[in-house]
Structure formats: C-alpha cells, structure tokens
Amino acid sequence: AASDPYGLDPPGGRRGPDVGDGGEVVGMLPSYDNEEASWTAPSVMSAINARVVRRSNALSGYSYGETMSYGEAALSEGLPAALGLVAVLAIGGACLAFPLSRRALLSSTLLPMPGQGPSRESMDLGYFRVKTVAIGEQRAGAGVAAEAPKVVAHVESGDGGNPGYKCTARMAVEAALCCALERERCFRPGGVVTPAYGLGQVLVDRLNATG
C-alpha cells in the first residue's frame, strides 16, 4: 500500500491515472504548477491524504469520476526554495530509513523525547492554509471546445492552532461527536470508511461551527 497510489482502494477498485502522491506528476522533484504559476514541492502528508481521497472515491462508487486524478503539493516561493524542501525531505527520510542514523537521530535533542511536544504557545499560534482546485472534464459543444469547469475552495485552520497537534485533536473529537450525537445523518454501513465517505457534510458542518 505504501508504494501503490491506489493501495488503500477496496478490492476490485478501478485504478485511475495517478502515478504517485502528486497525482499525475511523476517523482519527488519540484514541478511547476501552471494553475498557480508557481513552483511546488512534494507535500509531507500527500502519501497519506492522496490515498484516502482515492479510497473515498472508490467507496462512493466513483462519485468524483472514474478518471479522477488527485495530488498534493506545497507551494514554494521559487525553484531554489522547492529544491531546498525536497532536500530536507530526502535527508530526513534517509536518516529514518537506516537503523544507525535513525537511532542517532532519535537519541539526539533534534527530535522531541517521549512525552514531550510543542509548547502551548506554539500549538495556539500554528495554522494551515489549503487551496483545493477541482477541474472537471473539458467537453465540446456546438463544434467548439468548452472551457473545463473549475471550482476553487480555500480552507483555513481558523483558531484551530497547530495542524499536527491541536487541529488534529479537534478533528478527532468532532469526528467522534458525529458518531455519538448525529449518527443518523452519517453513512452507517460497516467496514473501514473514510471521513469524507462515512461522515461527509456532518463533519464539515461541525468543524465550521467549532471555529
């Protein structure tokens, strides 16, 4: 599952065009995004998020489209910044991959020790901003190729704080409250589902209401 872009799809899932965590973008090198007119680097969370989105699509009967392509990237201020982020990710991944370097890294002061974490100030001041761009299929009409439909959504953390700690805790709590308090509005068949498929708009509404 770790090496397969569709590794979390249910049995019998129909594979799409994606070749990696960046969707149809090959490899881990920086790429230029024409939509944003900016250089991008691989996103730290894309290996998890992209597979979950593809599983949501498969579980929902391909409501996003059978040829849907999904990828994530981090916007950079330029090619040098994108190359720097790629280098950091590559070095960090290599250090964690080998036992000796992993042991040295975990025993150093570079990473938090068990039980440690960010300060309350760091958790309160953290934030994230996500821009999601959905582009539909281009269709021809009256002999003229129509422009592909596009929807843009901006998502911000609000007062959620640090995305790796405080925001994650809030999302987990609200997901649990969806099941406990609004179960009748959720999709209830059993199995391993995703937040989008199992909780859907119920979770979105609760997260918006909580700030």
Side-chain angles (χ1 to χ4, degrees):
S3 60
D4 183 359
Y6 296 90
L8 292 184
D9 280 18
R14 298 187 291 275
R15 302 177 67 85
D18 291 342
V19 294
D21 302 329
E24 297 182 64
V25 177
V26 181
M28 292 290 291
L29 294 177
S31 61
Y32 190 80
D33 190 308
N34 292 319
E35 181 70 29
E36 293 297 317
S38 174
W39 283 95
T40 66
S43 170
V44 175
M45 294 298 297
S46 61
I48 298 172
N49 294 342
R51 286 164 175 75
V52 173
V53 170
R54 296 183 191 114
R55 180 176 178 85
S56 297
N57 188 34
L59 290 173
S60 65
Y62 297 93
S63 60
Y64 309 163
E66 292 190 18
T67 59
M68 186 272 296
S69 174
Y70 180 87
E72 291 186 5
L75 287 178
S76 301
E77 295 183 355
L79 181 57
L83 288 170
L85 180 55
V86 169
V88 169
L89 292 176
I91 293 172
C95 289
L96 292 174
F98 297 100
L100 288 179
S101 57
R102 181 171 63 246
R103 191 177 302 115
L105 187 62
L106 294 176
S107 62
S108 70
T109 58
L110 296 176
L111 296 177
M113 297 298 291
Q116 290 182 331
S119 65
R120 178 170 293 278
E121 180 183 18
S122 175
M123 287 193 289
D124 289 340
L125 295 178
Y127 66 93
F128 70 81
R129 296 191 184 99
V130 177
K131 180 179 180 180
T132 302
V133 180
I135 301 176
E137 295 181 345
Q138 188 173 23
R139 299 183 182 277
V144 180
E147 184 177 352
K150 180 173 68 174
V151 176
V152 179
H154 296 270
V155 180
E156 299 187 6
S157 55
D159 63 2
N162 187 296
Y165 290 86
K166 194 175 177 181
C167 267
T168 299
R170 176 176 291 184
M171 293 175 190
V173 169
E174 292 299 335
L177 290 175
C178 285
C179 298
L181 304 179
E182 302 185 73
R183 187 172 178 81
E184 69 283 351
R185 295 180 57 203
C186 300
F187 186 77
R188 285 173 287 177
V192 181
V193 298
T194 64
Y197 183 62
L199 306 177
Q201 191 62 40
V202 183
L203 179 58
V204 175
D205 292 342
R206 294 195 68 91
L207 290 175
N208 284 331
T210 195

